[in-house]
Amino acid sequence: MYPRIEQSVLELMIEHLSVDPAQLDPEAQLVDQLYLDSLDLMDLLLTLNDAFDIELGVEDLVSIKTVADVCRAVERRLAGAGQHEGGQP
């Protein structure tokens, strides 16, 4: 994982979802351990989309189960955007 992206994702989760920083272990389960509901998950997607200028959608939620999954999803979208625009992630 890219440390700067991971740090930004964690900060956004703390700020927008009121998640306890001590609970943000990479393998923490979003629903079972952090108690995020569907509205929280949608809010997280919208926040990430705005912050990183990416387009994560509802279909991405299927593979997002942990904090690490969130970071990987953002990294994948950024890498894909960089390839399409000729830039670096």
Side-chain angles (χ1 to χ4, degrees):
M1 275 191 251
Y2 297 96
R4 287 180 37 202
I5 294 172
E6 182 178 4
Q7 184 61 38
S8 295
V9 168
L10 296 178
E11 289 171 4
L12 288 168
M13 291 180 77
I14 292 165
E15 180 180 342
H16 290 279
L17 300 175
S18 302
V19 175
D20 180 4
Q23 293 180 314
L24 287 178
D25 178 84
E27 296 308 314
Q29 299 284 319
L30 299 177
V31 174
D32 295 336
Q33 292 175 300
L34 300 179
Y35 306 109
L36 301 185
D37 62 21
S38 58
L39 286 175
D40 293 326
L41 293 172
M42 287 305 299
D43 183 41
L44 177 60
L45 283 184
L46 295 173
T47 298
L48 294 169
N49 287 344
D50 288 342
F52 291 100
D53 196 26
I54 58 176
E55 291 189 32
L56 290 171
V58 176
E59 66 279 357
D60 294 299
L61 285 178
V62 174
S63 64
I64 296 175
K65 304 292 184 209
T66 66
V67 172
D69 291 340
V70 174
C71 295
R72 281 191 289 271
V74 170
E75 290 169 357
R76 276 194 306 272
R77 288 290 190 224
L78 289 172
Q83 289 173 359
H84 292 131
E85 297 170 9
Q88 295 290 328

